[in-house]
Amino acid sequence: MAKTQLNVRVDETTAEAARRQAGRRGMSVNRYIEELVKQDAGEVGKTFVESAADFMKQYESVFTEEFDAETTPTDRGTGRDSGREGAL
């Protein structure tokens, strides 16, 4: 994605806080502010949810095979444990 320069004026206390927080996270002030804006706009959460959905879709057969093997046919879909060790 192409980058655009954005000039922002803040008081010295805010500038120092941005430098300090960026340093704690091991990133530049530019990257720190970019991440804050993305979080505020919800992009980070949206990206996470989309990635999780893609992961689940990709590995659905693995989960189905693993968890269906652990339940009896009568227990499937009921949320009841089939007697596995350590069940409550």
Side-chain angles (χ1 to χ4, degrees), residues 11 29 46 62 75-76 80-81 85:
D11 61 63
V29 173
K46 180 181 177 188
V62 175
D75 288 340
R76 286 188 188 136
R80 291 184 293 173
D81 194 297
E85 187 175 326

Side-chain angles (χ1 to χ4, degrees), residues 62-77 79-85 87:
V62 175
F63 286 104
T64 300
E65 182 180 314
E66 177 68 24
F67 292 107
D68 279 354
E70 294 179 1
T71 59
T72 65
T74 57
D75 288 340
R76 286 188 188 136
R80 291 184 293 173
D81 194 297
S82 63
R84 287 178 286 147
E85 187 175 326

Side-chain angles (χ1 to χ4, degrees), residues 56-66:
M56 291 302 293
K57 186 175 184 179
Q58 183 177 357
Y59 291 99
E60 179 179 14
S61 63
V62 175
F63 286 104
T64 300
E65 182 180 314
E66 177 68 24

Side-chain angles (χ1 to χ4, degrees), residues 14-23 26-36:
T14 302
E16 183 53 38
R19 289 185 203 104
R20 186 175 51 254
Q21 293 301 103
M27 61 177 63
S28 69
V29 173
N30 286 336
R31 179 72 179 160
Y32 174 66
I33 292 171
E34 183 177 14
E35 290 299 316
L36 288 176

